Amino acid sequence: MSNAKWVKLLHLLVENATLISECRVKLIWEQGAAERRLVFDENTSYRFDYYDTAMEAMVTGTPRGWYDYKEIEWLDFPGITNTGEMIQDVEAIQRQIKSTGKFRLAIEEGNLRLYAYQRP
Protein backbone atom coordinates (compact mmCIF):
# COMPACT_ATOMS: atom_id res chain seq x y z
CA MET A 1 0.00 0.00 0.00
CA SER A 2 1.45 3.38 -0.93
CA ASN A 3 2.09 6.17 1.57
CA ALA A 4 -0.54 8.34 -0.16
CA LYS A 5 -3.14 5.61 0.41
CA TRP A 6 -2.13 5.44 4.08
CA VAL A 7 -2.74 9.16 4.49
CA LYS A 8 -6.18 8.81 2.83
CA LEU A 9 -7.01 5.80 5.00
CA LEU A 10 -5.98 7.47 8.26
CA HIS A 11 -7.96 10.57 7.34
CA LEU A 12 -10.99 8.34 6.73
CA LEU A 13 -10.53 6.47 10.02
CA VAL A 14 -10.31 9.74 11.95
CA GLU A 15 -13.47 11.03 10.24
CA ASN A 16 -15.23 7.81 11.28
CA ALA A 17 -13.70 7.47 14.75
CA THR A 18 -17.11 7.02 16.37
CA LEU A 19 -17.72 3.98 14.14
CA ILE A 20 -14.44 2.28 15.08
CA SER A 21 -13.92 1.01 18.61
CA GLU A 22 -10.90 -1.23 17.99
CA CYS A 23 -8.21 -1.60 15.35
CA ARG A 24 -5.40 -4.12 15.80
CA VAL A 25 -2.03 -3.67 14.11
CA LYS A 26 0.47 -6.30 12.95
CA LEU A 27 3.97 -5.03 12.20
CA ILE A 28 5.91 -6.92 9.53
CA TRP A 29 8.81 -7.79 11.82
CA GLU A 30 6.67 -9.17 14.66
CA GLN A 31 5.80 -12.85 15.10
CA GLY A 32 2.59 -14.24 16.57
CA ALA A 33 -0.75 -12.61 17.28
CA ALA A 34 -1.25 -8.87 16.94
CA GLU A 35 -1.09 -7.32 20.38
CA ARG A 36 -0.80 -3.73 19.18
CA ARG A 37 -3.64 -1.29 18.61
CA LEU A 38 -3.99 1.74 16.34
CA VAL A 39 -4.88 4.67 18.59
CA PHE A 40 -6.80 7.60 17.13
CA ASP A 41 -9.90 9.68 17.72
CA GLU A 42 -11.73 12.55 16.04
CA ASN A 43 -8.98 14.97 17.18
CA THR A 44 -6.14 13.07 15.51
CA SER A 45 -4.72 15.28 12.79
CA TYR A 46 -2.56 15.11 9.68
CA ARG A 47 0.91 16.59 10.08
CA PHE A 48 0.61 16.33 13.87
CA ASP A 49 -0.06 12.62 14.50
CA TYR A 50 0.50 11.16 11.03
CA TYR A 51 2.56 12.36 8.13
CA ASP A 52 3.39 11.63 4.48
CA THR A 53 5.45 8.51 5.25
CA ALA A 54 4.93 7.63 8.92
CA MET A 55 2.83 7.97 12.05
CA GLU A 56 3.85 9.09 15.53
CA ALA A 57 2.71 7.36 18.74
CA MET A 58 -0.43 5.96 17.09
CA VAL A 59 0.61 2.32 17.53
CA THR A 60 0.60 0.84 21.04
CA GLY A 61 3.25 -1.48 22.43
CA THR A 62 6.99 -1.31 22.91
CA PRO A 63 8.77 0.41 21.38
CA ARG A 64 6.21 3.15 20.89
CA GLY A 65 7.13 5.96 18.61
CA TRP A 66 7.48 6.49 14.89
CA TYR A 67 6.41 3.76 12.48
CA ASP A 68 6.82 3.98 8.73
CA TYR A 69 3.73 2.85 6.87
CA LYS A 70 5.83 0.17 5.13
CA GLU A 71 6.32 -1.49 8.56
CA ILE A 72 2.62 -2.37 8.88
CA GLU A 73 1.55 -5.73 7.51
CA TRP A 74 -2.18 -5.45 8.26
CA LEU A 75 -4.94 -3.81 10.27
CA ASP A 76 -7.74 -5.83 11.87
CA PHE A 77 -11.15 -4.48 12.81
CA PRO A 78 -12.76 -7.17 15.00
CA GLY A 79 -16.53 -7.33 14.92
CA ILE A 80 -16.98 -9.51 17.99
CA THR A 81 -15.04 -10.29 21.15
CA ASN A 82 -13.90 -13.78 22.20
CA THR A 83 -17.10 -14.00 24.29
CA GLY A 84 -19.29 -13.26 21.26
CA GLU A 85 -20.14 -9.64 22.13
CA MET A 86 -20.47 -7.36 19.10
CA ILE A 87 -18.15 -4.37 19.40
CA GLN A 88 -18.29 -2.74 15.95
CA ASP A 89 -19.99 -3.06 12.59
CA VAL A 90 -17.26 -4.38 10.29
CA GLU A 91 -19.48 -4.19 7.22
CA ALA A 92 -20.06 -0.46 7.81
CA ILE A 93 -16.31 0.03 8.28
CA GLN A 94 -15.68 -1.92 5.07
CA ARG A 95 -18.14 0.28 3.13
CA GLN A 96 -16.39 3.43 4.38
CA ILE A 97 -12.96 2.08 3.43
CA LYS A 98 -14.15 1.00 -0.02
CA SER A 99 -15.65 4.45 -0.59
CA THR A 100 -12.22 6.07 -0.32
CA GLY A 101 -10.26 3.80 -2.68
CA LYS A 102 -9.15 0.30 -3.57
CA PHE A 103 -7.76 -1.64 -0.64
CA ARG A 104 -7.12 -5.34 -0.17
CA LEU A 105 -9.83 -6.34 2.33
CA ALA A 106 -11.16 -9.61 3.71
CA ILE A 107 -13.93 -10.42 6.18
CA GLU A 108 -13.55 -13.71 8.03
CA GLU A 109 -15.41 -14.85 11.13
CA GLY A 110 -16.67 -11.33 11.90
CA ASN A 111 -13.25 -9.72 11.47
CA LEU A 112 -12.32 -7.19 8.77
CA ARG A 113 -8.67 -7.31 7.73
CA LEU A 114 -6.99 -4.64 5.61
CA TYR A 115 -3.74 -5.89 4.10
CA ALA A 116 -1.16 -3.14 3.88
CA TYR A 117 2.23 -4.74 3.16
CA GLN A 118 2.44 -7.75 0.90
CA ARG A 119 5.38 -10.06 1.35
CA PRO A 120 6.97 -11.24 -1.91
Side-chain angles (χ1 to χ4, degrees):
M1 194 162 90
S2 71
N3 290 341
K5 282 183 98 171
W6 267 109
V7 171
K8 282 178 68 173
L9 176 66
L10 290 170
H11 184 71
L12 172 84
L13 295 178
V14 168
E15 283 183 339
N16 291 279
T18 57
L19 182 65
I20 302 164
S21 60
E22 185 175 338
C23 180
R24 298 178 190 146
V25 177
K26 165 78 170 57
L27 300 175
I28 59 169
W29 42 267
E30 291 183 313
Q31 300 298 318
E35 301 294 328
R36 297 176 184 269
R37 304 284 184 266
L38 185 62
V39 180
F40 61 91
D41 62 23
E42 63 277 357
N43 298 314
T44 302
S45 63
Y46 180 62
R47 297 228 183 261
F48 183 72
D49 302 297
Y50 62 100
Y51 306 86
D52 291 335
T53 62
M55 61 181 78
E56 180 182 11
M58 289 179 67
V59 177
T60 65
T62 305
R64 187 167 181 186
W66 287 85
Y67 287 101
D68 288 337
Y69 299 132
K70 63 185 177 183
E71 292 182 84
I72 299 172
E73 187 171 343
W74 48 255
L75 300 178
D76 267 353
F77 301 89
I80 55 173
T81 64
N82 292 339
T83 61
E85 178 187 353
M86 185 170 174
I87 58 172
Q88 59 191 353
D89 184 348
V90 295
E91 290 177 359
I93 296 169
Q94 181 184 37
R95 282 192 300 275
Q96 289 298 320
I97 292 171
K98 282 184 172 183
S99 75
T100 196
K102 291 184 180 181
F103 294 90
R104 193 166 153 234
L105 300 167
I107 293 182
E108 293 179 12
E109 299 177 12
N111 182 72
L112 173 64
R113 179 166 289 176
L114 184 150
Y115 293 93
Y117 177 80
Q118 293 181 341
R119 294 175 190 259

